[in-house]
Amino acid sequence: MGRPEQHTPYRLDAAECESQDQLVVKPSSWKGQIWDTFDLPREERWLMFKVDAFILTFASIGYFLKNLDQTNVNNAFLSGMKEDLSMFSNELVTSTSIWTVGYVIGQIPSNLLLTRVSPRWVIPSLELGWGICTIATSAVKSYQGLYALRFLVGLFESGFYPGIIYLLGSWYTPKEMAKRAMIFWLSGSVGQLFSGFLQAAAYTNLNGVHGYEGWRWLFIIDGIITLPLALMGYLFFPNLPQNGVKTWWTTEAEHHLSVKRLKAVGRAGKEPWTKAKVKRILLSWHTYLLPMLYVVWNNGGPQLAMGFWLKSFNAKPQPVPGVTFSVADINNLPLPTTGIFIAMALVWAWLSDGKYFGGRRYPFIYLGSVLTLIFTVLMRQMPLYENIEGRKIVYWLSQIGFGAGPLIMTWISEICSDDTEKRALLVAMGNDFAYVVQAVAPNFVWKTTEFPAARTGYLWSIVLQILLIVVTAAIQIGLWHDRRVAAKKVREIPQPASPSSDSPSLAASDFNEKRAVRTPETREVV
């Protein structure tokens, strides 16, 4: 594999302007609204088919497995690990905290490593690492051994989500990225749901086989299905087009096309770390507001409380005499909440990428915040036991506004298009700090003893939803200011009296001025 080319800032000449614009702005057919590649020329459509097959498929399956491996310890705990490892105190909580430490430590270094080492080697290695540690967990004899392995699992898993978001931003344009980021993100929810079914199957069918308890088989199975995907990643995962290294499954023409597509939307390649670059990042408002946006969103959604509410009907004395819910009801009745949430999140992603919103992300952040605010207020203020059917509906719709996360990550990637190191850093910072707050805050605002009323938690969500609106507006104001500054600089560039062969043409200058108003940093506020 050749040495990555040093990034050189690109320039478009007048002859390229029309073709570059065609890569970004093109009328959409009804098929293109369903899946954007239908509107592309044949060569580009085939390229994107391969990119989807090798990146999106790998990423979605990998994230499914990551969440499976992340949550399996809770299922194992309920299926015999508690007794076998003498975890009778706070050992489960401690193991989760230790996993979180590894997860927090690894995210930013891992994402910055992707700007220097090809994702083809980094991301599969992360998956291989957590797969091996997951299998090793099946052999632990004490909770101290569990602690050590959970730290390593968290460390290896830490780079996967922000790394894939960075990779998606390195291959897809603004009209393509949101829906793929959403598909990737939602695959993790499926992994969390599937872990319980897998544990039940392992305990029922494998408990005692070859002398292994059922909970140990869960870790073995999770690891075994993870390793083949990691090994395939070394073969099929791509390099970054901006770094000039062709991926083996693209032709030279396709590689050139992939680079051209990204140049058209302002995606930069790697640059050396210098004092000036570090200073520029530290002094940029992006560094502080963009990660904060994701932190506020991630921690602002209300906790799922319907199961607690249903179970409270069975308390003694009964809050509503004669009304009780079975164990099956308590587990099944909340399921429409997840189904409605997934459906709405997918709709938002498709609309955001589509021609009507033109790649804008902020309308859905505002909409999600307002919807979440409405339903959070309703859940906090409605009497718990007066309008039972009405409260069920409120619970089912309570997550309808919580689908903006991948759109926020997409927005961060697009705003930082002109600096790949900054893009990698801010994506990782957003997810990292969000997880720190998520690990700490619920202990104070979402106390289990306060459910199903959870008035403190709902107040916390209300405050964060208002803050989410404020931070989003502040980002738009910052982008508006950046656009004004960029346009002023373009106007101040002296123009020759007449075009000459050794100076930029007027057509190219006109294109560059239009581009200054359309860059990913400013496009959202036009």
Side-chain angles (χ1 to χ4, degrees):
M1 185 171 67
R3 180 182 177 86
E5 297 178 358
Q6 192 74 2
H7 169 64
T8 303
Y10 66 91
R11 297 288 184 268
L12 298 178
D13 58 33
E16 289 184 304
C17 293
E18 182 177 352
S19 63
Q20 294 285 14
D21 272 348
Q22 289 174 350
L23 286 174
V24 182
V25 181
K26 183 177 180 179
S28 297
S29 66
W30 66 268
K31 292 191 298 182
Q33 290 299 303
I34 297 174
W35 195 251
D36 43 63
T37 57
F38 285 116
D39 283 339
L40 299 176
R42 185 181 64 173
E43 295 81 5
E44 191 174 356
R45 185 165 63 248
W46 176 239
L47 168 65
M48 297 315 298
F49 172 81
K50 290 194 286 187
V51 172
D52 285 338
F54 292 126
I55 296 181
L56 185 59
T57 302
F58 178 94
S60 298
I61 296 175
Y63 200 48
F64 167 85
L65 295 175
K66 173 197 170 297
N67 281 271
L68 197 65
D69 295 344
Q70 176 181 331
T71 58
N72 54 17
V73 68
N74 296 314
N75 299 107
F77 179 83
L78 298 173
S79 303
M81 185 175 72
K82 173 183 176 181
E83 293 76 15
D84 291 346
L85 300 186
S86 299
M87 300 173 67
F88 297 111
S89 185
N90 292 319
E91 289 82 7
L92 179 62
V93 175
T94 302
S95 71
T96 301
S97 300
I98 290 174
W99 177 91
T100 302
V101 171
Y103 195 78
V104 169
I105 289 174
Q107 288 195 54
I108 293 176
S110 176
N111 238 36
L112 291 179
L113 182 63
L114 287 174
T115 67
R116 294 298 180 265
V117 180
S118 173
R120 180 182 177 187
W121 306 114
V122 176
I123 293 180
S125 296
L126 294 175
E127 194 163 10
L128 185 65
W130 88 62
I132 292 173
C133 291
T134 298
I135 293 177
T137 305
S138 67
V140 294
K141 304 299 182 183
S142 66
Y143 60 79
Q144 291 90 348
L146 177 68
Y147 291 167
L149 287 168
R150 291 307 291 173
F151 173 81
L152 292 175
V153 169
L155 189 66
F156 284 119
E157 288 183 345
S158 65
F160 193 80
Y161 177 76
I164 293 296
I165 293 294
Y166 172 74
L167 183 66
L168 294 178
S170 299
W171 275 93
Y172 293 106
T173 67
K175 71 176 183 178
E176 301 161 346
M177 184 174 171
K179 62 177 71 70
R180 289 162 174 88
M182 187 67 74
I183 291 172
F184 162 64
W185 181 58
L186 291 175
S187 68
S189 300
V190 178
Q192 291 177 338
L193 293 173
F194 191 75
S195 182
F197 295 110
L198 185 61
Q199 174 60 74
Y203 189 83
T204 301
N205 300 304
L206 294 173
N207 189 38
V209 174
H210 298 300
Y212 286 98
E213 295 86 351
W215 68 266
R216 296 185 185 275
W217 277 110
L218 174 64
F219 291 106
I220 295 172
I221 293 170
D222 286 351
I224 287 176
I225 61 179
T226 299
L227 295 182
L229 185 70
L231 296 176
M232 290 176 61
Y234 289 117
L235 181 62
F236 292 107
F237 221 54
N239 302 307
L240 298 180
Q242 305 97 311
N243 289 346
V245 180
K246 188 180 80 69
T247 298
W248 70 266
W249 43 259
T250 61
T251 65
E252 286 293 340
E254 289 171 342
H255 173 64
H256 178 74
L257 178 60
S258 67
V259 174
K260 187 177 182 181
R261 281 165 40 87
L262 297 168
K263 284 184 177 180
V265 295
R267 295 285 195 276
K270 70 177 183 179
E271 295 176 342
W273 283 97
T274 62
K275 290 183 179 179
K277 182 182 183 69
V278 172
K279 181 179 179 180
R280 185 170 67 248
I281 292 176
L282 290 176
L283 295 180
S284 172
W285 63 265
H286 298 165
T287 305
Y288 305 97
L289 282 184
L290 297 182
M292 183 188 297
L293 182 68
Y294 191 78
V295 172
V296 174
W297 167 83
N298 185 76
N299 290 277
Q303 294 279 357
L304 296 175
M306 189 175 186
F308 291 95
W309 176 68
L310 293 170
K311 189 173 182 178
S312 71
F313 282 87
N314 301 342
K316 302 294 184 181
Q318 291 181 326
V320 182
V323 178
T324 60
F325 293 94
S326 67
V327 174
D329 290 334
I330 294 171
N331 284 280
N332 293 329
L333 282 175
L335 292 180
T337 305
T338 303
I340 293 170
F341 153 70
I342 290 174
M344 183 58 70
L346 291 172
V347 169
W348 285 9
W350 259 251
L351 288 175
S352 180
D353 275 353
K355 64 179 181 181
Y356 297 109
F357 287 92
R360 289 175 173 84
R361 317 304 178 191
Y362 63 85
F364 301 97
I365 303 174
Y366 285 127
L367 178 59
S369 183
V370 171
L371 288 173
T372 302
L373 191 60
I374 290 171
F375 286 106
T376 302
V377 170
L378 286 173
M379 287 186 292
R380 189 176 190 270
Q381 299 302 125
M382 284 181 66
L384 284 173
Y385 303 110
E386 289 185 6
N387 184 355
I388 296 175
E389 295 304 318
R391 194 168 182 91
K392 284 182 185 178
I393 293 173
V394 171
Y395 278 129
W396 288 335
L397 297 177
S398 63
Q399 297 288 306
I400 198 171
F402 202 60
L407 303 184
I408 292 174
M409 281 299 191
T410 298
W411 201 22
I412 294 173
S413 295
E414 292 165 351
I415 290 172
C416 299
S417 279
D418 62 342
D419 190 325
T420 196
E421 290 80 15
K422 181 180 177 182
R423 177 162 60 91
L425 176 64
L426 267 56
V427 165
M429 284 175 59
N431 195 57
D432 205 16
F433 296 158
Y435 217 93
V436 171
V437 177
Q438 181 180 318
V440 176
N443 296 297
F444 301 96
V445 298
W446 292 107
K447 296 180 180 179
T448 304
T449 54
E450 294 186 3
F451 282 93
R455 295 181 62 83
T456 303
Y458 289 136
L459 180 60
W460 164 261
S461 289
I462 290 169
V463 171
L464 288 191
Q465 292 307 319
I466 295 172
L467 183 58
L468 182 60
I469 294 173
V470 171
V471 175
T472 305
I475 290 172
Q476 282 194 274
I477 292 171
L479 295 176
W480 172 81
H481 177 264
D482 289 350
R483 180 171 67 92
R484 291 281 297 264
V485 171
K488 182 179 179 181
K489 288 181 178 179
V490 169
R491 288 193 297 269
E492 290 175 351
I493 297 175
Q495 300 295 336
S498 59
S500 62
S501 60
D502 58 352
S503 63
S505 69
L506 289 177
S509 299
D510 290 342
F511 174 78
N512 287 333
E513 183 166 358
K514 288 190 291 182
R515 183 180 179 277
V517 182
R518 287 191 298 126
T519 55
E521 294 88 339
T522 59
R523 174 174 49 81
E524 305 294 343
V525 294
V526 175

